[in-house]
Amino acid sequence: MSLQQALTLCDASCTDELLRAYKHFQSEKYFDRRLVECLRQPKTEKAASWLLKHYLEEGFILDELLVRKTLLTLLQTQLWDTRLHLLQCLGMLNIETELAHQLFQKLKLLTADKNKMVRAWAYNGLHEVAKQFPHYKTQTWEILSAVAENEAPSVQARIRKITRLDYYSLQKDCG
């Protein structure tokens, strides 16, 4: 059975099933390539995004082409679960300059997503882009500091965590 077949049959909301699939396929040659290809398939993207997040959390690194494909998937996907997993991966990806602006604009849109977890991680994503591309630092600070008090507590908690970082200390002092 191929990775794509396994992910098609897998219950993408069952962590145990996802971990079994990961353990079975993770050591295969080109696992990362196959995984990113599964990200781009509607029937497997939810499971593949979870596996990719797990793969990156295990310390593996994607090459430039696979990062690009992953980010393009984030820009296009409509599934909130896939968005969330890919947003959570941003801190583990090296974003190429050519995609930074497009990604930043998409993240700004996602801060208005109906799903509060997607919103929270979209704000975190803005921060991750600003860390890799410092010319977004001021704009990110302005967005983070303007978040409404009526935002969900989980979103506010994520933003507080980001804004406590020394990275924004100059903006805090000047703002």
Side-chain angles (χ1 to χ4, degrees):
M1 178 181 297
S2 71
L3 176 63
Q4 185 171 359
Q5 291 169 323
L7 295 184
T8 300
L9 298 173
C10 181
D11 177 358
S13 61
C14 179
T15 304
D16 289 339
E17 282 189 43
L18 292 167
L19 283 172
R20 276 194 297 278
Y22 180 82
K23 288 176 185 174
H24 180 77
F25 290 100
Q26 174 274 320
S27 61
E28 289 186 2
K29 190 174 184 179
Y30 305 120
F31 171 71
D32 54 352
R33 292 180 190 170
R34 290 188 181 104
L35 189 55
V36 171
E37 287 308 314
C38 288
L39 263 182
R40 303 171 67 116
Q41 306 298 319
K43 291 181 181 178
T44 56
E45 71 176 278
K46 181 178 172 182
S49 65
W50 189 95
L51 289 179
L52 178 64
K53 179 178 170 275
H54 186 71
Y55 179 76
L56 294 170
E57 288 171 341
E58 294 277 305
F60 293 98
I61 298 171
L62 297 180
D63 67 31
E64 192 175 310
L65 177 63
L66 295 180
V67 169
R68 180 176 185 71
K69 287 180 178 184
T70 299
L71 293 176
L72 289 173
T73 300
L74 173 57
L75 294 173
Q76 298 166 356
T77 188
Q78 298 300 311
L79 292 179
W80 77 266
D81 321 66
T82 303
R83 280 183 180 160
L84 177 61
H85 297 147
L86 296 179
L87 288 167
Q88 292 170 328
C89 291
L90 284 177
M92 299 175 276
L93 300 174
N94 290 319
I95 302 164
E96 64 182 71
T97 305
E98 294 78 25
L99 281 178
H101 179 72
Q102 188 178 3
L103 179 61
F104 194 80
Q105 297 307 314
K106 178 66 172 188
L107 292 168
K108 287 193 321 187
L109 291 174
L110 289 177
T111 62
D113 194 273
K114 64 183 176 183
N115 185 289
K116 64 185 174 188
M117 293 302 292
V118 169
R119 289 194 311 272
W121 284 94
Y123 286 111
N124 193 78
L126 291 170
H127 167 66
E128 294 298 338
V129 172
K131 280 183 7 186
Q132 292 186 42
F133 301 92
H135 61 275
Y136 288 110
K137 186 176 179 179
T138 301
Q139 188 176 358
T140 298
W141 173 253
E142 290 169 359
I143 292 167
L144 294 173
S145 57
V147 174
E149 292 289 323
N150 61 353
E151 183 58 90
S154 58
V155 177
Q156 289 181 6
R158 170 68 41 195
I159 291 169
R160 277 193 306 275
K161 184 175 180 180
I162 297 166
T163 57
R164 281 190 204 126
L165 301 172
D166 286 340
Y167 185 75
Y168 295 102
S169 61
L170 181 61
Q171 272 74 18
K172 291 176 193 173
D173 295 341
C174 297

